[in-house]
Amino acid sequence: MTAIPRFTGDASPYSGGDPYADYRTADFPFTSYADLADRRLGAGVVAANDEFFAERENLLVPERAEFDPEHFGHKGKVMDGWETRRRRGVSADHPWPADEDHDFALVRLGAPGVIRGIVVDTAHFRGNYPQAVSVEGTAVPGSPSPAELLGDDVKWTTLVPRTPVGGHAANGFAVATEQCFTHLRIRQHPDGGIARLRVHGEVVPDPAWLAALGTFDVVALENGGLVEDASDLFYSPASHTIQPGRSRKMDDGWETRRRRDRGHDWIRYRLSAQARIRALEIDTAYLKGNSAGWASVSVKDGEDGDWREILPRTRLQPDTNHRFVLPEPAVGTHARVDIFPDGGISRLRLFGSLTQEGTNRLAARHQELGG
């Protein structure tokens, strides 16, 4: 496994100019997976024991944290993150926080899933970040309240043990626990501020829910679809194409750099499970002068299956949702969209239902992971 860089200690005080110029970060291998804590997927910070300086909801804002050196409020410096007050000891003789003192926030994931890695981002928290962080996960069905999540009967699994972190840095942690989780509890020891929380992993859909739906989008992230690879990620992640809802702005889709050769770009997906596809959509919303010119869609059944084209190369219009009913259902476990010659699409939807084999495999995986 690739070693994960570690950042500790204060960052230098802000001295003007680009606040990200001295930001400490790295390429973490697990960030190729979708963010299960994305607000657009339905995630939320449902509770925190303290948010005196900055609100807990900032943790899941999709955009990177901003910094305004002149922005102060009635409680002090306004920070784009979650920040708690300074902890104190019990007396003048012991003014320091106890070793076990900490603040916590409860996070509901946008979809249940297996977590591959976590990023605790302390951007702009240069001298007011936590000394250490820890993260735990649990799986609770339904829509539990904060009080229910904190009940004695809820079992929490340690995903990130108490670990020192650095200020103004992306602190990454690989997770190797093969288990499905619905909620996280992040602790900061003993206090301080965190700008953003990212939880990268794979969605594990509920087979009973998909069976009740019957026909659904078999490549959607919320239903267990996954981007396996893409030819180009220059402007935006390919995983945007299977996010819920329509794109709301240009960078909420997938856009490639301009090609200067005779090639083309593509994305490869893994479906929820083996499915029978009956219709599809290719959306170019907000891609007006940079949408793909043409697109085709292919599927294959199994890792070693052959690719079969189900939508031939078709002209696309800018800022348009294109719908296609297939002449006959196509069975597969994987899909690929090819765009010509470059540009982008905002969403791909593949509508169908699971085969019996797909249903059986998905149910077995769901049970194995404790879903």
Side-chain angles (χ1 to χ4, degrees), residues 116-128:
R116 302 302 183 192
I118 295 172
V119 177
V120 178
D121 188 349
T122 59
H124 315 304
F125 289 92
R126 296 169 175 270
N128 51 345

Side-chain angles (χ1 to χ4, degrees), residues 138 146-156 185:
T138 190
E148 290 170 326
L149 288 170
L150 296 173
D152 294 337
D153 58 333
V154 173
K155 178 185 177 183
W156 292 89
R185 177 166 58 192

Side-chain angles (χ1 to χ4, degrees), residues 66 245 254 297 347:
E66 297 181 351
W254 172 61
V297 178
R347 297 290 188 270

